[in-house]
Amino acid sequence: MFRFIVTRIGLLIPTFFGVTIAAFSFIRLLPGDPILLLAGERGIDDERHAQLMAQFGFDLPIWQQYLNYLGDIIQGDLGRSIVTKQPVLEEFLALFPATLELSICAMFFAVALGLPAGVIAGVTRGSKFDHTVMAVSLTGYSMPIFWWALLLIVVFSGELGWTPVSGRISYLYFFEPVTGFMLIDSLLSGEKGAFASAISHLILPSIALGTIPLAVIARQTRSAMLEVLGEDYVRTARAKGLPPSRVVGLHALRNALIPVITVIGLSVGVLLAGAILTETIFSWPGIGKWMVDSIFRRDYQSVQGGLLLIAVIVMTVNLIVDVLYGLINPRIRHTR
Amino acid sequence: MSLLEIRNLSVEFTTAYGQFRAVDAVDLDVDQGDVVAIVGESGSGKSVAMLALMGLLPWTAKVQADRLSFDGKDLTSLEPKQRRRIIGKDMAMIFQEPMTSLNPCFTVGFQITEAMKVHLGGTRAERRRRAVELLDQVGIPEPETRLSAFPHQMSGGMNQRVMIAMSIACNPRLLIADEPTTALDVTIQAQILELLLSLQRDRGMALVLITHDMGVVAETAQRVMVQYAGQQVERRDVVGLFSTPAHPYTAALLDALPERSRGKRLPSIPGVVPGQLDRPDGCLFNPRCRFATDLCRSRPPGRGSPEQGAALCHYPLQGGEPSGYPPDLLDQLRRQAAEEARSA
């Protein structure tokens, strides 16, 4: 098991370098001059422009810029935003809990609904429930997040008035962030109603963000379940006289979870990408919104740093998934 | 009263082409301590009949029986929950493919103790001790360490031993073994059969052995049911069956045994078991039967007397010749046989 984990970590190193190249070049492929954007409408004279370009190192040949960037990263320095002058890592870490909180809630929503729905659909294959789950999940998967999010706001916030439109918590409450997670902070603050307010703000964004993973998980669980239910060992389990709940919930599900875990791991990438849209629509102060703003400002350092950090997070999650695999499926654990 | 009593069991599947009858009017009586073999080619409905008894068929299967009773309890009228109290406890089954019949995600120990936990209760330590005992009984070395092994870490033969240990964990009174040696090496096959028989003798349990190997039948069983295309074409004691087979299909199966072969070439039965779409009229065996007449091709045969193995045949064999056969055809048959004898 130890060797298995070490091998997986070793595989991450080349991926990491690939990501640095991607993060470095994507923002530079976009047209637009960061210094001009920084100067704003008044413009900037050529001399000052050249001076600033030299200051940020943008006048160097592109490969030299990359090597400088790589050298900084290896020393753990992601640079400073050219707009706010704050260290990128600091800005990222300040905003990341908001995104993490949203992503966890969205994933919880997706798994809590998608897994049972997929299992039941698989077991009752061809039933009305099965057809409904498949139809709903296909619809959910096909819906653009921004449109789905707006629809949710229009119906539940606008028409019904059940949930707030945007933000993380009502303006009535204010307290210093301790953990950065609003749900925890609101509880710690001891203010009445703060926690309820935080939850009500989380509901719509979580649904909007969790819908696509939900659809993918439900469909994957269903097909994995169908496959596993036809296996000989499921027949053996039934031949022992075990109740159906145990046959399905233990013998079949344990095996069906293997592909489902993969999908959940891959969904984390989708989730962070989806967070950009969701956060923008719900004015959620997370890294998604920050990334969008940085891209519009051609804030090279922030975009590079943010992309890299997001990629590292996705890679870490997938590493965890790989390890989980080994725990669930002994055949993988032992083959190394 | 027999331990197991099956009367007129039939199983039908609904397919895209209509109903398919996989098991047709099967009868079976098994007493405590009996060893009964069910033989037949692939596709003759041997496994399906026993899976129906265990209640393991998918819901698409329609199971009907005049009587399906185990230990005096009518299985057809039992609630699923009550039926599960019998399945895996008093009536257990082992399967053909040991490698895929064990769950790859759980240890051997977990899978063996599971049925005990559900049916017998007891403490964890008791179940564990019993599992070690069982593994020892089925001839697995170092049973204690094997408890924490996963199925993929063991060979097919070892896995089949684990399957056997699992099936006898709750001291069943009837064990159904569905081709337990087919997927194993020849050298292991004999060991596994010997193990099954010794367990059967020691525990006095009834054993139903499904096989397509006549050699296995000869070594193990007391009684034999020969099944073809879902029907029992012959049923009788093993000695009678081997000395004077009454149904031409049984005779052909026996002729195909290498140790009974007399000619240079091993005889085989041409063709395959009819499926759903090529079911013949009359006797189901007629397209492959060398004695088939127009009568065989038009009318389904009735059952013969018990002395004739209750053969499902218009002309059950007597001394190797069909009885009640049209005289002209019989003459022709004799001439042919004489010619063959000369050339051989």
Side-chain angles (χ1 to χ4, degrees), chain A residues 232 236 240 242 246 251 255 330, chain B residues 100-101 103-104 111 114 119:
Chain A
D232 287 348
T236 308
K240 286 183 194 172
L242 306 179
R246 196 174 162 95
H251 285 267
N255 286 278
Chain B
T100 56
S101 293
N103 195 323
Q111 299 191 53
E114 193 177 23
H119 294 295

Side-chain angles (χ1 to χ4, degrees), chain B residues 58-124:
Chain B
W59 60 272
T60 48
K62 215 172 88 199
V63 180
Q64 278 178 323
D66 293 346
R67 192 162 169 71
L68 192 62
S69 81
F70 179 79
D71 197 20
K73 290 182 214 90
D74 181 13
L75 296 177
T76 49
S77 64
L78 282 186
E79 291 290 313
K81 201 177 164 183
Q82 292 166 312
R83 195 164 173 175
R84 282 201 300 274
R85 275 190 212 141
I86 302 175
I87 304 296
K89 182 170 181 286
D90 295 326
M91 182 158 67
M93 187 162 177
I94 57 177
F95 303 99
Q96 188 172 345
E97 285 285 345
M99 297 306 271
T100 56
S101 293
L102 290 167
N103 195 323
C105 285
F106 298 101
T107 61
V108 163
F110 177 89
Q111 299 191 53
I112 294 178
T113 50
E114 193 177 23
M116 290 186 238
K117 188 175 163 190
V118 173
H119 294 295
L120 306 177
T123 67
R124 225 184 139 84

Side-chain angles (χ1 to χ4, degrees), chain A residues 136 138-156 204 207-209 211-212 274 276-282:
Chain A
V136 169
L138 188 62
T139 315
Y141 188 69
S142 321
M143 252 185 314
I145 293 186
F146 61 89
W147 180 73
W148 173 227
L150 288 177
L151 205 68
L152 287 173
I153 293 177
V154 168
V155 174
F156 291 102
L204 287 193
I207 294 176
L209 185 55
T211 299
I212 289 178
I276 294 180
L277 284 166
T278 315
E279 287 178 5
T280 308
I281 290 168
F282 287 95

Side-chain angles (χ1 to χ4, degrees), chain A residues 123 125 231-244 246 250-252 254-255 258 328-334, chain B residues 51 54-57 84 87-88 91 95 97 100-106 110-111 114-115 117-119 150 152-153 163 166:
Chain A
V123 173
R125 169 195 201 166
E231 294 285 347
D232 287 348
Y233 51 75
V234 171
R235 185 181 59 188
T236 308
R238 287 170 54 216
K240 286 183 194 172
L242 306 179
R246 196 174 162 95
L250 193 72
H251 285 267
R254 183 79 178 257
N255 286 278
I258 296 163
I328 291 183
N329 188 349
R331 280 167 299 184
I332 294 178
R333 197 187 316 159
H334 293 120
Chain B
L51 289 172
M54 292 285 286
L56 293 177
L57 289 174
R84 282 201 300 274
I87 304 296
M91 182 158 67
F95 303 99
E97 285 285 345
T100 56
S101 293
L102 290 167
N103 195 323
C105 285
F106 298 101
F110 177 89
Q111 299 191 53
E114 193 177 23
K117 188 175 163 190
V118 173
H119 294 295
F150 286 94
H152 70 272
Q153 295 170 313
M163 277 297 289
M166 219 162 79

